[in-house]
Amino acid sequence: MTKAPHVVVVGSGPIGATYAREILEAHPTATVTMLELGPQLTEIPGASVKNIHDDEKRAKARAMSQGPQADEATRAKLGLPYLQEGTLTARQGTHLVDFGGPGSGHAKSFPMASIATNVGGQGAHWTCAVPRPEFSEKIDFISDEDWEQSISRAEVLLRANKTPFKKSPIGAAIRAALTEEFKDISTETVHPYFLPVSAEEQPNGTMIWGGTDFVFGPLIEKGNPLAERFTLKSLTMARKILFEGKKAIGVLMEDAVTGEQSELLADKVVIAADAVRTPQLLWASGVRPKALGHYLTEHPVCFSAIALDGEKLKKYASEEDYVAEKELAKLSPGDPVSGVTRVPFIEPSHPYSAQIMYVTKPPFPLPDDSPLKDHKYGFAMAGWGGRKFPRYEDAVTFDDNELDYRGFPNMTIEYELTEREIKEMEDVKVFMHRAADALGAFVPGMGMPRLMAPGTSLHYMGTHRIGPVDDGTSVCDDTSKVWGYENLFTGGNGTIPTANCVNPTLTSVAIAVRGAHKLVSELND
Ligand SMILES: Cc1cc2nc3c(=O)[nH]c(=O)nc-3n(C[C@H](O)[C@H](O)[C@H](O)COP(=O)(O)OP(=O)(O)OC[C@H]3O[C@@H](n4cnc5c(N)ncnc54)[C@H](O)[C@@H]3O)c2cc1C
């Protein structure tokens, strides 16, 4: 009898989970071991912390994910250095690459670069927006038919809800007003619409937000036969990929608490450890193609907050609707969003992706004397994401002579917007003003349109990009297999090769679906 094949997946975010699930569902006997450096936050592995309604418990779960910027107890347990006072603060649940303490990475030109270290990865903290890429955002060397299959599967894995918050009257009013306002830039099929999200809407109109647990699905269901072939090891780091020539034979794993190391052998190895730590682990393991870490892109973000004006929206919403909306919001104290709209990337008239989230309470602290403190019509958080065209010089690079706080070759991120990109992010303000005029008015101060510091998007792409040919401008082939290696795959936003504005996770899951199917077909050979 032949031995059941064994696959090691490094990283427990949505992409590692996609590989694990697709492999186990498609192969009758394969086993998968997943290594995750961070701790498990919730009873259900990888669940969204937004579903924790107790403020203290939610804050604790987020703090546990913050690596060197975690709470003191978690850092002490993992022997991590202390955060330097006075450094920038990352989004809750994440930690900065350039956190400023001993062994910190360097990211002066990309200061908000942030990552998460926990079971479920950033997928336990994300906003859950899962729109599809459109026009030139799509990868031109993958056929439409193939892409349609992969992205449809990705929507199933993430349980994409294409008409979320159907019961939100103000969400509907915002959508109607923006559809009217942006008629001139829309096409028949691409126009302002619901923002699809990974979430399950409950009968009372609240959401169970999707975390990586959605993708794990049967793998974390007690008694499910697939769960018996899946092992998730938290607080376990992949220190190095092990090779025999160009064949990966497993990984050197390390207990994150004790530092104890052991070899874990495998027939295939998948690295899905985010867009900066995947190239770092490849580099540390001697896999150093020219494009590794290069062609870094993200979505430059211009943020604004709009105070809704009941008078301007009276065609679409009544006074009673605002009261009903506040009641709906009270049901989800852990997450104040109750209506979501998107103005999509429309080429060439609107080269941006806008996300408009309705909240009943001010999205940031307002001065005590602000007339908007108890604003009865609520607010729209309106963020416009732009595109960054891939260039070799935007990169995360690694230094063998300087180790980071985990003992890896330390990383430096170099990144710069070009004139074209700066102009696009200046031009975006026209659309932002139009949206504000249609819905109400910008909240003075923090709510005025402002270009956020590089790294703010949390969508880092291109650093281990896929490509159609091995010409030095990509790290992996179109099935995410590292060029020149027999059985080493990567996954994550780093595989995305295009300049795009769309939130990347759905696209990365679709790319990973293709990778997993290729991997399984090789196991079958
Ligand atoms: C606040 C927030 C909001 C977001 N909103 C959206 C959104 O609305 N839509 C969207 O598309 N995207 C969003 N994102 C981004 C989204 O979460 C990521 O695209 C997604 O999680 C990427 O999945 P991944 O599996 O590639 O990586 P991650 O989720 O980052 O997981 C990688 C995991 O690998 C682990 N790891 C790293 N190195 C090692 C090692 N050596 N050994 C073992 N484990 C290791 C890490 O600890 C981590 O848990 C958001 C992110 C955040 C933080």
Side-chain angles (χ1 to χ4, degrees):
M1 209 171 84
T2 50
K3 201 172 119 287
H6 179 227
V7 180
V8 169
V9 175
V10 176
S12 70
I15 309 308
T18 299
Y19 268 96
R21 170 126 173 226
E22 293 301 273
I23 292 166
L24 291 172
E25 285 202 352
H27 195 282
T29 58
T31 55
V32 171
T33 305
M34 175 175 282
L35 307 185
E36 169 53 54
L37 171 57
Q40 186 165 324
L41 310 176
T42 46
E43 202 180 319
I44 301 171
S48 169
V49 303
K50 290 201 290 181
N51 298 327
I52 306 174
H53 291 306
D54 180 277
D55 287 348
E56 220 171 284
K57 287 190 180 145
R58 193 173 58 258
K60 167 84 182 142
R62 285 178 168 154
M64 282 170 72
S65 315
Q66 294 173 189
Q69 294 185 301
D71 59 297
E72 201 172 326
T74 307
R75 279 190 320 227
K77 185 174 169 199
L78 301 179
L80 290 168
Y82 289 92
L83 162 68
Q84 184 120 318
E85 289 301 326
T87 50
L88 291 164
T89 311
R91 285 268 283 279
Q92 286 179 340
T94 67
H95 51 104
L96 293 167
V97 166
D98 195 344
F99 61 88
S104 164
H106 310 291
K108 294 282 165 282
S109 56
F110 206 65
M112 294 311 293
S114 310
I115 50 186
T117 302
N118 55 276
V119 169
Q122 294 192 32
H125 305 285
W126 68 324
T127 312
C128 300
V130 290
R132 283 184 174 211
E134 302 281 357
F135 305 98
S136 63
E137 293 184 317
K138 288 166 69 178
I139 301 165
D140 62 4
F141 51 87
I142 297 177
S143 74
D144 285 347
E145 194 190 352
D146 185 334
W147 185 245
E148 182 55 38
Q149 274 180 14
S150 311
I151 202 143
S152 298
R153 176 64 183 157
E155 286 173 338
V156 170
L157 292 173
L158 290 163
R159 298 184 213 165
N161 180 339
K162 297 188 180 178
T163 52
F165 293 108
K166 283 186 292 291
K167 289 192 173 163
S168 161
I170 309 306
I174 291 173
R175 236 169 352 262
L178 294 182
T179 300
E180 182 66 29
E181 174 60 35
F182 289 125
K183 256 189 186 145
D184 60 324
I185 58 165
S186 300
T187 73
E188 210 167 293
T189 51
V190 192
H191 47 76
Y193 201 53
F194 287 93
L195 172 73
V197 291
S198 169
E200 277 181 356
E201 193 151 351
Q202 303 303 293
N204 68 358
T206 59
M207 290 289 176
I208 293 181
W209 291 103
T212 304
D213 58 330
F214 276 22
V215 184
F216 284 134
L219 276 51
I220 53 170
E221 247 173 52
K222 270 212 176 82
N224 192 302
L226 295 187
E228 284 165 22
R229 293 191 278 127
F230 177 60
T231 307
L232 168 61
K233 286 177 178 289
S234 62
L235 294 173
T236 307
M237 168 163 72
R239 169 62 69 191
K240 207 173 233 182
I241 310 163
L242 303 170
F243 291 99
E244 265 173 21
K246 294 288 185 184
K247 184 174 172 201
I249 56 160
V251 296
L252 178 64
M253 60 177 180
E254 184 174 311
D255 186 304
V257 178
T258 64
E260 198 181 322
Q261 294 189 337
S262 53
E263 290 187 355
L264 179 66
L265 300 183
D267 299 282
K268 304 270 178 197
V269 173
V270 180
I271 310 297
D274 80 40
V276 289
R277 287 180 287 186
T278 292
Q280 186 184 41
L281 182 56
L282 263 59
W283 179 274
S285 310
V287 181
R288 300 180 174 187
K290 184 168 177 247
L292 188 73
H294 292 266
Y295 304 100
L296 168 69
T297 65
E298 73 148 345
H299 301 136
V301 184
C302 213
F303 178 79
S304 68
I306 301 164
L308 264 50
D309 179 341
E311 186 57 30
K312 281 189 183 173
L313 291 172
K314 76 169 183 234
K315 192 164 133 197
Y316 308 110
S318 66
E319 293 289 321
E320 292 75 44
D321 286 335
Y322 293 95
V323 177
E325 189 80 39
K326 281 204 168 141
E327 290 306 309
L328 185 62
K330 275 189 201 154
L331 298 173
S332 323
D335 184 77
V337 171
S338 62
V340 290
T341 297
R342 174 167 191 255
V343 186
F345 178 78
I346 305 166
E347 209 158 22
S349 58
H350 184 252
Y352 310 100
S353 178
Q355 209 162 286
I356 290 99
M357 322 282 272
Y358 179 67
V359 285
T360 50
K361 291 192 185 138
F364 40 76
L366 293 173
D368 283 342
D369 58 353
S370 167
L372 292 172
K373 267 207 116 135
D374 296 310
H375 186 54
K376 70 172 175 177
Y377 299 119
F379 302 85
M381 296 190 289
W384 255 257
R387 56 189 164 172
K388 172 91 182 92
F389 293 87
R391 301 185 311 163
Y392 183 80
E393 49 272 58
D394 298 307
V396 52
T397 55
F398 307 99
D399 183 353
D400 293 321
N401 299 313
E402 186 204 340
L403 300 185
D404 72 8
Y405 65 96
R406 293 181 302 136
F408 280 90
N410 205 358
M411 56 178 92
T412 296
I413 301 180
E414 296 286 353
Y415 179 88
E416 197 179 7
L417 290 181
T418 62
E419 268 176 34
R420 173 182 183 174
E421 291 147 6
I422 292 168
K423 181 171 180 328
E424 285 196 349
M425 291 319 290
E426 196 47 46
D427 293 348
V428 75
K429 291 184 183 153
V430 173
F431 296 106
M432 299 179 80
H433 279 272
R434 282 178 61 181
D437 287 346
L439 302 177
F442 289 124
V443 177
M446 294 263 287
M448 297 306 291
R450 58 200 161 104
L451 183 62
M452 308 302 282
T456 299
S457 71
L458 300 164
H459 302 160
Y460 316 136
M461 298 167 284
T463 50
H464 45 108
R465 63 209 298 248
I466 59 172
V469 285
D470 186 9
D471 60 359
T473 66
S474 55
V475 170
C476 301
D477 69 16
D478 73 324
T479 65
S480 305
K481 191 153 92 156
V482 178
W483 292 115
Y485 287 80
E486 268 181 46
N487 57 346
L488 176 62
F489 291 75
T490 76
N493 300 335
T495 56
I496 298 178
T498 54
N500 62 63
C501 307
V502 75
N503 315 58
T505 309
L506 181 76
T507 300
S508 294
V509 169
I511 294 171
V513 164
R514 299 182 78 251
H517 292 177
K518 169 73 174 168
L519 187 154
V520 170
S521 75
E522 289 184 357
L523 288 179
N524 289 334
D525 291 345

